[in-house]
Amino acid sequence: QVQLVQSGAEVKKPGASVKVSCKASGYTFTSYYMHWVRQAPGQGLEWMGIINPSGGSTSYAQKFQGRVTMTRDTSTNTVYMELSSLKSEDTAVYYCARDQRMDVWGQGTTITVSS
Amino acid sequence: EIVLTQSPATLSLSPGERATLSCRASQSVSSYLDWYQQKPGQAPRLLIYDASNRATGIPARFSGSGSGTDFTLTISSLEAEDFAIYYCHHRTNWPPTFTFGPGTKVDIK
């Protein structure tokens, strides 16, 4: 079955970087775009950006420009999201989601930024 | 920038009742409007795409309607597992832009 499995929770200090992985299975990896969406505690959903696993092209939300990098590894069917210069406000659950319609979601990765 | 507004913020209903959730866009989004359901501790789940198409495996009690700026998600008869938060979402293919509404919480009356 189609599945997205994300890496585990992390605790980071302010100013550090974090890299979250999302491994896809059950479908042709390069045929579907992948999004990253985050959700701060008790808040709504916030779109961060999108990557085309086929060619690696990306588009980021303006808010995260310069701080986020999305990459992919077609040999392992995995996409990555790296967020740098972390602040306490980046504490959130980070999700990957497949396709323009976000029809399949990963289980989420909790990132806690705390000194 | 398109802004999505959802109403009401909270909807308190009993099982078996009909739920009507609204999503309004600040400018026309044609039919590029999706609905997601999120339960506590879970990832969102796609319910409706392109305003009125049920996603795979979604029960028929969920329906979507609307176009342009005004959209509605209807749950014809609430079941216990339907109490959750519902988000509307707009996407544009170029430049890629994806916007979520603030959500409507459907809770048990």
Side-chain angles (χ1 to χ4, degrees):
Chain A
Q1 74 281 22
V2 177
Q3 200 172 6
L4 302 176
V5 177
Q6 298 182 222
S7 50
E10 300 207 43
V11 179
K12 294 291 185 180
K13 294 196 180 301
S17 297
V18 68
K19 191 170 186 177
V20 181
S21 67
C22 169
K23 183 173 176 59
S25 61
Y27 70 98
T28 302
F29 176 67
T30 52
S31 294
Y32 295 86
Y33 285 70
M34 196 76 79
H35 300 265
W36 287 92
V37 175
R38 77 177 188 180
Q39 186 170 38
Q43 302 302 309
L45 301 168
E46 181 175 34
W47 180 74
M48 299 180 68
I50 189 170
I51 182 169
N52 180 352
S54 177
S57 61
T58 56
S59 182
Y60 304 135
Q62 191 165 7
K63 176 177 179 177
F64 300 100
Q65 292 272 5
R67 250 191 352 125
V68 70
T69 304
M70 297 177 188
T71 56
R72 95 291 189 214
D73 182 344
T74 56
S75 68
T76 60
N77 290 353
T78 302
V79 296
Y80 299 91
M81 186 283 299
E82 184 169 22
L83 188 63
S84 62
S85 303
L86 290 169
K87 303 169 262 192
S88 58
E89 307 91 272
D90 294 317
T91 293
V93 178
Y94 290 76
Y95 294 101
C96 56
R98 186 188 81 155
D99 194 30
Q100 303 281 4
R101 297 170 183 164
M102 302 187 196
D103 61 346
V104 180
W105 292 64
Q107 83 276 19
T109 297
T110 300
I111 303 299
T112 302
V113 183
S114 173
S115 55
Chain B
E1 179 190 344
I2 292 174
V3 177
L4 299 178
T5 304
Q6 293 187 242
S7 62
T10 303
L11 194 54
S12 297
L13 295 168
S14 301
E17 288 193 294
R18 182 184 189 89
T20 303
L21 288 67
S22 173
C23 178
R24 177 164 289 178
S26 58
Q27 59 186 276
S28 177
V29 298
S30 184
S31 294
Y32 294 114
L33 195 288
D34 309 317
W35 291 93
Y36 298 85
Q37 176 195 65
Q38 188 178 32
K39 298 178 183 179
Q42 296 185 17
R45 176 174 71 146
L46 176 65
L47 296 177
I48 302 287
Y49 65 92
D50 294 346
S52 60
N53 299 286
R54 270 191 303 277
T56 302
I58 301 304
R61 65 181 181 273
F62 292 93
S63 64
S65 63
S67 66
T69 60
D70 290 295
F71 299 85
T72 300
L73 173 70
T74 302
I75 311 171
S76 60
S77 178
L78 281 164
E79 299 200 2
E81 63 264 30
D82 300 336
F83 293 94
I85 298 175
Y86 293 84
Y87 294 96
C88 59
H89 167 253
H90 166 62
R91 54 187 157 84
T92 58
N93 289 336
W94 193 260
T97 308
F98 299 82
T99 306
F100 289 95
T104 290
K105 183 178 182 181
V106 179
D107 65 15
I108 300 176
K109 187 174 181 181

